[in-house]
Structures are given as structure tokens and as C-alpha cells.
Amino acid sequence: MTTSLYRAKGAAPARRRSPSRAPWLWVVVFLAPAVVSLVVLRVAPTIGAIGSSLYKAFPGGLVPATFAGLTNYQALFGDSDFIATIGRTILFNVIINPLQVVIALLVAVLFTQRIPLVGLWRTLLFIPVTIPIVGSCIAWSAALQPDGPVNALIKAIGGQPQPFFTSPSQALACIILVASWIGIGYWMLFLIAGLDSIPTEYYEAARLDRAGWFRTFFQITIPLLKRPLLFVLVADTVANFVLFVPVQLLTDGGPQGSTTLLMFNAYRTTYEYGSRNLGAAEVVILTIIMLVFVVLQFRLLREERSTR
């Protein structure tokens, strides 16, 4: 009736208001710091490293750098020690990435069950994440010394003391141990969040179907947890490819180069040997290898989406 009265009086119909641009403005305001930080801290250094890797400068900086094209890359791939470093870095990541993710997943599954003091166990496993990585490295260095507490325990149970960080065959495994001790608790949190987001109806249906733990885990938990798992795997891969502090503090790349990874080698080439352009080329190679791993993992995510 009201509408008919307005029409009878000849009132003009109300105009629709144009959608406000304020929400988009706030999106830009809140995203701008992150975008600027990404460009300044990630994109610009990467472009700078690519450009620097194409030049060659003499030590001391008295002579300007000259364009050298792919000379630095040819020198690196002609060095057998550098090729061994690439292989060692890939082997390190092939071992440590699945190891950390599998252990973090098993612990997350355990800590989402009804067990006594589950909050305490979660806190204890997360404590290494809160400790600065330098402090963790110092603690493990003291623990794995030839006369340290770990060897004392080994001798107490009748075993032979181990060289650990001073052994070319054990040093890299010790780096994996230290990095995993720090990282597993961190990745566990993401996986616990993913497990808690799985609807309980799926597990109730599995119980009605009399499915055992093994079948429930691989047919319900893993498929519904695939996206958090892939995120953790990708993030863990990036973190381990650029792992630096434990190698520098615990072994300095030794003994006999057994723990020299690409990130540490690029640092040493740049700052200890004073070859900035060659170090930049190593960083570019490291980035490419890391991106290959990441793209393969995102490929899995894309295939998982396409099946839906």
C-alpha cells in the first residue's frame, strides 16, 4: 500500500546506492605492509642475486665488476666439490623432510587421542620451538661431546662412545637430529589443527562399518588431512633447504665437508672467500632446486583438487 501511495503522488523511485569501495580500501591498507615486506625482503634480493651472479669482480673491489654471463655457473658445475655439495643437500632434504613430517603426524595423531595429561605432553614437545636456535645448538653440542652426557650414558649401558659431530659418517645425522628436535613440535601444531577440523561423523561411520585403526587412518584421516600435510611438507622443505645455524655452529661444514650444505656453502663463498658473485650464483642454484621440490609438492595438491 505504501508503494502505491508513493506512485500515486508521483514520487521518484529510490536510486540504488553504488557499492561502497571502503572494504577494498581496507583490504589494500592491511595487505600493503605484507606485500611491501615480501617485495623488499624476498623479491628484490632474489632479483639482485640473479643479476650479481652474471658478473665477476676481483677481490678487494678496486676494479669494477664486469659482465661475465654464465661464467660463474660454469665454474661451479665444473667443481666436483660443489657437485658433491648439491648431492649432499638433496640427500639431506630427502631424508629429513619425510622424517620430520611423519614423526610430527604420528605425534599429532597421538596427542589428539584421549590420553592423560595430553596438554602437558603437547607443551613439552613444543618447548624446543620456543628456545632460540642458537641455544638449542649449544645444548646439543654439549650433550654430544666425546665426554658429554650422551656418551656417558652409552658407556653406562656397556656401549662404545661415539664421535658424533667429529665423525664424517655421523655428523650429518647429528644435524638431522638437532633440526628435527627443533622442528617437529612446530609442525605438530599445524597437523593437530588439521586433525581437529575433521568432522567426527566420518570416524563414527568408520566405527559402524567396523573399520580398524589402520583402515581408518589411511582412508579417512590421511585423505582429509592432505592439504595441511602438503602445507607442512612444503614449508618444512623450504626451512630445511635454507638451514644454516646448526651447520655453522656445530660443525662449520665439517668434518671433511660432510655437513657442507648449499646454504652454508653460499655463505662461506660470499663472506669467507670474498667471492660475492660466485656466492650469488650458488644462491640462485639453491633457489632453483628448492623451487623444483616445492613445485612437485604443489603438483600433488593440484592433483588432489582435480579429483574432487
Side-chain angles (χ1 to χ4, degrees), residues 4-40:
S4 61
L5 288 174
Y6 276 112
R7 289 178 178 175
K9 293 179 180 180
R15 295 182 179 178
R16 292 184 179 179
R17 293 183 178 180
S18 59
S20 175
R21 296 182 180 180
W24 290 105
L25 178 61
W26 285 111
V27 169
V28 173
V29 169
F30 283 111
L31 286 180
V35 173
V36 171
S37 299
L38 181 65
V39 171
V40 172

Side-chain angles (χ1 to χ4, degrees), residues 252-275:
D252 197 34
Q256 300 176 16
S258 60
T259 60
T260 299
L261 304 177
L262 265 176
M263 188 65 191
F264 176 78
N265 200 59
Y267 162 82
R268 186 168 57 186
T269 301
T270 303
Y271 295 103
E272 294 185 11
Y273 301 158
S275 183

Side-chain angles (χ1 to χ4, degrees), residues 16 70 85 91 99 115 139-140 155 173 176 192 224 243 246:
R16 292 184 179 179
L70 300 178
T85 300
L91 176 64
L99 177 67
I115 60 176
W140 277 103
K155 287 192 292 185
I176 292 175
I192 287 177
L224 295 177
L243 187 71

Side-chain angles (χ1 to χ4, degrees), residues 80-96:
S80 59
D81 290 337
F82 181 75
I83 299 297
T85 300
I86 292 179
R88 189 180 304 112
T89 302
I90 294 175
L91 176 64
F92 173 80
N93 281 272
V94 167
I95 294 173
I96 192 173

